[in-house]
Amino acid sequence: MGVTATSNRRYRPFFWEEFAQAATARSQEQGRRQSVPVWAERGLCALREGLGCEPGGAPAMRHLHRVQLTDDHQSGQLLPDSYRAEHAALTLFGLHQSASADPVHRPGVGLGTAVRGLREGLLSSNAAERRLMAAATAQELDELVQHLRGLIPLLHRTDTGLDYTRLYYDLRDWLSADNGQVVRAWGLQYYAPSSADTPQDAYSGETAPAQPYWAGFDPQLAEAGVHLAALRSGAGRQAGTVPAMWSLYRTSIGASLRNKGALTRDLMAEHAALTIFGVHQQGRETSVHTPGHSPGSACRRLLASANAKGQERDSAADRLAVERRLGALLTSLDAGELAQHLRRLAPLLRKQDIGLDYDALRHALRYWDDPRRPDEQSRIRSRWDRDFHTDTTTPPA
C-alpha cells in the first residue's frame, strides 16, 4: 500500500517558497533584480504550460508538486484535495510571478489583505468588495480559481503579493465539507479592525470598542433593508461565513487571529446579536435597540400589551405563555441555545413595538457559558428575572 498523500508533512519547501528564497539570495549577491537560477525559470515555464490543464495533466509541472501521490491515486481518476489545491496554487503563482520582477510570494499576506490593498487607488471599495465576495461565494474550486486569476493582473499593477502557502491551505480547505474558516479569514482580513486600529479610552487607556452596527442603525437609509436581510441570512450560520455580513461586524481582532480566521467568543456573540437584531428590526420605522430594556423587561411589556388589548385568552393564560418563553431563555444551557430562544422572541417583540438593549444582549451572549466567568450566567439570569417581576428599565451596571 502506498503512502497516503498529505500536505502536513513535506520533505522540501513548496516551489513558490524555493523560488522566492532563490530570487532573494541571487538579488542580494549580484545587486540586481530578476536574477533567478535556471531551474526556477524553467519551473515558471512549466507552470505556464499547466494553465488550463487538469491537475496532473501537465507532465512538465509534475516535478514541481510537493504533495506526493500514492500508486492508487496515480492509477485512478480521483486525485486528493491536497494535490488539486497545490495544482491551483502553482498555476496561480506562475501567472502572478511571470508578470512581476520581484518575488510575489509574500508570507503573511492573506487574500483578504491583498484585496484590501487594491482599494488604495486602483479599485473603489465597492469594486474590491465585490471581487472578494465573488471568490468567497464560489461553489466549486474551478470557479474560485477563475476569480483568483482575474485578480492577478490587479495585484501585479499594485505590486501586491500573496502568501501562496496560506493560499494553498485555503484552497485545500475550500474543498473540505466545512470551508467556513477560510471565508471568515478573508472577511476578517478585509474588514475587521485590529486592536491597533481601535481608539483607546482617554481615561482608562484601554481599547474602546467600535460602535456596534445596531447603535448607529438608521431605518431610513437606502441600504438598511439590504443589511437587515443579510443579518437574517446569518441565523444558524457560523460567524464570518456570510460574506454579506462582513462589513457589519465591529469586533476588533488581533492580526494573527484575523489571518487564521479564528472563531472568537466576541465575534460569535456579536454575530448572534446581529442576527437577532435583523429579525427584530424587520419592517420597523424606528430602531429597536433600546438601552436599558432587557429580555426580562421586554417580556413584562409583552404581557402588559397582551392584557391591554383584551385578547381572547385570559390574563392567567397570557402570563403563563410569557413566563414559559422567559423560562426557556433563563434555562438555556449555552449561548447558542440562548440565541435561538431570543430569535423566536424577537418577532413577538417586533409586533408589539417592544425594544431590546442589544449592547447588554451581546454581553449576555458573550459570557453566558464562558468558563472563565462561571458566575456571570447566574447574575444575568437573576437580573432578567428581576426585570420581569419589577419592570425595571435601569441600564445594567
Side-chain angles (χ1 to χ4, degrees):
M1 181 179 296
V3 178
T4 302
T6 178
S7 61
N8 294 325
R9 185 181 181 188
R10 294 182 288 112
Y11 296 97
R12 58 186 295 191
F14 286 112
F15 173 71
W16 50 81
E17 294 173 336
E18 291 181 334
F19 184 98
Q21 292 170 1
T24 301
R26 296 273 292 213
S27 178
Q28 292 175 345
E29 290 175 2
Q30 301 182 17
R32 57 189 179 89
R33 304 168 69 182
Q34 293 182 324
S35 178
V36 295
V38 174
W39 62 265
E41 289 289 359
R42 289 177 177 173
L44 284 182
C45 292
L47 295 182
R48 287 194 290 271
E49 293 180 19
L51 284 171
C53 293
E54 292 293 324
M61 64 175 289
R62 289 177 184 170
H63 72 285
L64 302 178
H65 278 274
R66 302 299 180 253
V67 176
Q68 301 299 312
L69 297 178
T70 66
D71 293 339
D72 292 339
H73 286 133
Q74 292 176 342
S75 61
Q77 298 297 318
L78 185 62
L79 293 172
D81 290 346
S82 54
Y83 191 87
R84 295 172 59 201
E86 188 183 22
H87 173 85
L90 281 168
T91 55
L92 289 169
F93 170 74
L95 182 65
H96 196 173
Q97 186 61 64
S98 295
S100 302
D102 295 320
V104 297
H105 169 57
R106 312 272 176 84
V109 181
L111 182 64
T113 302
V115 175
R116 186 179 65 199
L118 297 179
R119 298 181 304 183
E120 301 174 359
L122 186 59
L123 295 179
S124 67
S125 295
N126 287 338
E129 178 184 57
R130 287 197 300 270
R131 285 182 175 271
L132 185 60
M133 284 189 173
T137 55
Q139 298 300 307
E140 298 178 349
L141 180 63
D142 288 344
E143 180 186 354
L144 172 58
V145 171
Q146 287 301 316
H147 288 302
L148 296 178
R149 286 182 63 178
L151 285 170
I152 296 299
L154 303 177
L155 297 177
H156 166 63
R157 288 174 58 185
T158 56
D159 191 28
T160 302
L162 270 177
D163 186 334
Y164 275 88
T165 304
R166 178 70 266 165
L167 183 64
Y168 157 71
Y169 288 117
D170 286 349
L171 295 172
R172 185 199 64 182
D173 294 342
W174 187 266
L175 293 165
S176 65
D178 181 12
N179 60 14
Q181 186 170 357
V182 176
V183 177
R184 182 165 50 250
W186 293 349
L188 291 176
Q189 291 164 16
Y190 186 84
Y191 283 108
S194 68
S195 56
D197 300 328
T198 308
Q200 291 187 330
D201 184 89
Y203 295 98
S204 67
E206 297 179 352
T207 298
Q211 183 184 59
Y213 175 75
W214 52 78
F217 178 77
D218 183 354
Q220 306 307 317
L221 293 179
E223 65 270 20
V226 175
H227 287 175
L228 292 177
L231 297 182
R232 293 192 296 273
S233 72
R237 303 277 296 276
Q238 273 193 0
T241 61
V242 180
M245 288 184 63
W246 281 346
S247 64
L248 309 180
Y249 293 116
R250 302 294 184 266
T251 297
S252 63
I253 300 177
S256 62
L257 294 179
R258 290 203 313 274
N259 288 337
K260 65 176 65 173
L263 188 60
T264 66
R265 283 183 175 271
D266 289 327
L267 185 63
M268 288 190 291
E270 183 183 25
H271 175 84
L274 283 169
T275 61
I276 298 164
F277 179 79
V279 174
H280 194 177
Q281 184 64 53
Q282 184 181 14
R284 304 304 305 175
E285 295 183 355
T286 57
S287 176
V288 297
H289 169 53
T290 311
H293 285 202
S294 73
S297 59
C299 284
R300 176 79 176 191
R301 286 166 174 74
L302 188 63
L303 177 60
S305 177
N307 292 338
K309 293 183 178 180
Q311 296 178 346
E312 294 180 359
R313 294 174 300 171
D314 59 29
S315 178
D318 286 334
R319 186 175 186 87
L320 180 60
V322 173
E323 285 181 340
R324 283 177 175 172
R325 288 193 176 274
L326 180 61
L329 292 175
L330 300 181
T331 57
S332 298
L333 296 178
D334 54 35
E337 183 182 348
L338 176 62
Q340 289 180 357
H341 289 307
L342 288 167
R343 275 195 294 270
R344 293 181 185 131
L345 178 64
L348 302 178
L349 301 180
R350 179 184 67 219
K351 185 177 181 180
Q352 301 300 333
D353 196 21
I354 300 171
L356 279 174
D357 185 334
Y358 276 87
D359 291 334
L361 201 66
R362 176 178 59 180
H363 175 90
L365 290 163
R366 167 62 178 84
Y367 293 105
W368 190 262
D369 54 359
D370 188 345
R372 296 174 298 179
R373 301 277 289 271
D375 298 329
E376 190 65 11
Q377 181 184 132
S378 177
R379 191 171 76 88
I380 296 170
R381 184 189 294 117
S382 297
R383 184 170 64 241
W384 289 359
D385 185 60
R386 183 176 64 251
D387 289 350
F388 177 71
H389 290 96
T390 63
D391 193 24
T392 180
T393 58
T394 302

